[in-house]
């Protein structure tokens, strides 16, 4: 099991050494701010002005959508980043051949690569879900 975690940690640290990871994170933040600006634009439009009941109803629907949309969106982005580094970059750099020459079984390599993709995306999904839940409970 230790060999599996070593492979996973190496792939995760490799992904965080790349500029493309930070570009993806920036894209996720931009998408988040775009989604928030759509909300503020809608609430500030004419039908919603001076109508607290309409604003409260729209805000409740917005936060419900936020609680479902963001964890899935962020998990998918993170999963694509780490899947890229776990397999494609290692193959391009020819690291996979040297890894297969070590006394690690193919099953352990596969599990390590799979964990390198799964752990960050599940962690991000759970983290965003908790943040969304806290926003939802404070908003209602």
């Amino acid at each position: 099991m230790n060999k599996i975690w070593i492979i996973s940690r190496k792939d995760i640290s490799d992904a965080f050494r790349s500029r493309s990871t930070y570009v993806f994170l920036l894209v996720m933040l931009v998408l988040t701010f775009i989604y928030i600006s759509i909300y503020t634009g809608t609430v500030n439009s004419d039908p919603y002005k001076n109508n607290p009941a309409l604003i409260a109803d729209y805000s409740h629907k917005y936060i419900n959508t936020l609680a479902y949309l963001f964890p899935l969106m962020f998990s998918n982005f993170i999963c694509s980043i780490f899947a890229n580094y776990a397999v494609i970059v290692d193959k391009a750099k020819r690291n996979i051949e040297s890894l297969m020459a070590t006394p690690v079984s193919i099953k352990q390599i596969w599990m390590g690569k799979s964990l390198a993709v799964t752990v960050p995306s599940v962690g991000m999904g759970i983290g965003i879900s908790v943040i969304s839940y806290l926003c939802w409970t404070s908003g209602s």
Side-chain angles (χ1 to χ4, degrees):
M1 190 67 180
N2 192 26
K3 295 174 185 177
I4 295 171
W5 284 110
I6 290 170
I7 294 169
S8 296
R9 278 185 272 155
K10 178 212 147 290
D11 286 342
I12 291 170
S13 66
D14 283 350
F16 279 115
R17 279 190 228 131
S18 171
R19 278 186 254 152
S20 64
T21 301
Y22 296 106
V23 170
F24 270 116
L25 292 173
L26 183 65
V27 166
M28 288 190 307
L29 285 174
V30 167
L31 289 175
T32 302
F33 287 122
I34 288 172
Y35 192 70
I36 291 170
S37 69
I38 290 171
Y39 168 76
T40 55
T42 303
V43 168
N44 291 330
S45 66
D46 284 334
Y48 290 92
K49 283 190 178 179
N50 300 326
N51 195 342
L54 253 156
I55 291 174
D57 184 49
Y58 182 75
S59 297
H60 193 262
K61 289 177 184 175
Y62 172 80
I63 290 174
N64 284 339
T65 303
L66 183 81
Y68 295 110
L69 176 72
F70 278 168
L72 293 173
M73 183 178 75
F74 279 64
S75 290
N76 284 335
F77 273 131
I78 293 295
C79 189
S80 67
I81 292 167
F82 286 94
N84 179 35
Y85 279 95
V87 179
I88 297 170
V89 172
D90 271 359
K91 189 171 181 179
K93 290 182 178 178
R94 305 209 92 15
N95 291 344
I96 214 109
E97 287 88 357
S98 60
L99 185 61
M100 291 176 75
T102 62
V104 179
S105 70
I106 302 250
K107 184 179 178 182
Q108 290 173 325
I109 294 171
W110 180 253
M111 288 297 296
K113 299 284 184 185
S114 298
L115 279 176
V117 173
T118 305
V119 170
S121 62
V122 169
M124 179 67 77
I126 290 172
I128 297 297
S129 296
V130 167
I131 291 169
S132 296
Y133 176 75
L134 292 175
C135 290
W136 183 77
T137 56
S138 68
S140 50

